[in-house]
Amino acid sequence: MGKTIVLDHPLIQHKLTLIRDKNTGAKEFRELVEELSMLLAYEVTRDLPLQDVEIETPVCKATTKALSGKKIGVVPILRAGLGMVEGILKLIPAAKVGHVGVYRDPETLQPVEYFCKLPTDIAERDLILVDPMLATGGSAIASVKFLKDRGAQNIKLVCLVAAPEGIEAVQKAHPDVDIFVAAVDERLNDHGYIVPGLGDAGDRLFGTK
Ligand code: URA
């Protein structure tokens, strides 16, 4: 079974409170989502491999550590996932970015892929799949499947707020995928919103409604 890691650093909790507040406007909301994504990325990349490098400091020669060049891909689930990309790229500027778009067919209720553009070498990359809200888990489960169908081997799912139902569904469908979240909320309401949540993350990021 995949792990669910709740990243409850004080800075993360504070910024999360600010984005939950309905009086936080789109500009501040976007900035905070970027900052939160950066803080999550710090923890998500904790196991990146290192190698020794020889350098010269102003004082002497030294053997120190540097990333060994593991390739990373960041994949936002459209559209709200876009808000998390810049923050992650600030920490991992060499990562490539793919995009996945999924909608739910109103008749079959099955997730349908409407957009998928990925780096060609995704099989060699550690993928960080991002979506601020993990509600029912439907989009995340479908997106992980689309990535695996194209050869992805190593996927981490990174969200800001999750419902217990979504976590359980993703863990059941994809036990090899670890989930990183800033908070696990109480439940989903009848409209599929996370409670207490923060409302519609896409609308709040892009000022739509
Ligand atoms: N998607 C959102 O943006 N918010 C929710 O609460 C649930 C799904």
Side-chain angles (χ1 to χ4, degrees), residues 5-46:
I5 298 111
V6 182
L7 301 168
D8 57 357
H9 187 286
L11 285 174
I12 292 179
Q13 293 194 53
H14 179 78
K15 289 175 194 294
L16 202 51
T17 294
L18 295 175
I19 60 169
R20 286 183 189 280
D21 190 329
K22 68 176 186 181
N23 295 314
T24 298
K27 175 177 181 291
E28 201 187 344
F29 189 92
R30 267 195 303 274
E31 290 167 355
L32 287 160
V33 168
E34 183 176 327
E35 291 166 14
L36 278 161
S37 306
M38 211 186 307
L39 291 166
L40 293 180
Y42 174 78
E43 214 39 59
V44 170
T45 51
R46 182 168 283 285

Side-chain angles (χ1 to χ4, degrees), residues 107-162:
E107 279 170 18
T108 65
L109 299 182
Q110 290 306 305
V112 180
E113 174 191 307
Y114 69 86
F115 188 81
C116 189
K117 181 82 183 171
L118 301 168
T120 48
D121 56 355
I122 61 160
E124 294 150 39
R125 291 183 181 269
D126 283 357
L127 296 182
I128 304 176
L129 180 65
V130 296
D131 194 350
M133 309 302 277
L134 177 57
T136 60
S139 307
I141 290 168
S143 300
V144 170
K145 181 167 185 315
F146 298 144
L147 298 181
K148 286 183 176 173
D149 288 348
R150 288 167 172 85
Q153 319 248 6
N154 190 340
I155 303 169
K156 289 174 176 166
L157 175 64
V158 182
C159 307
L160 299 184
V161 180

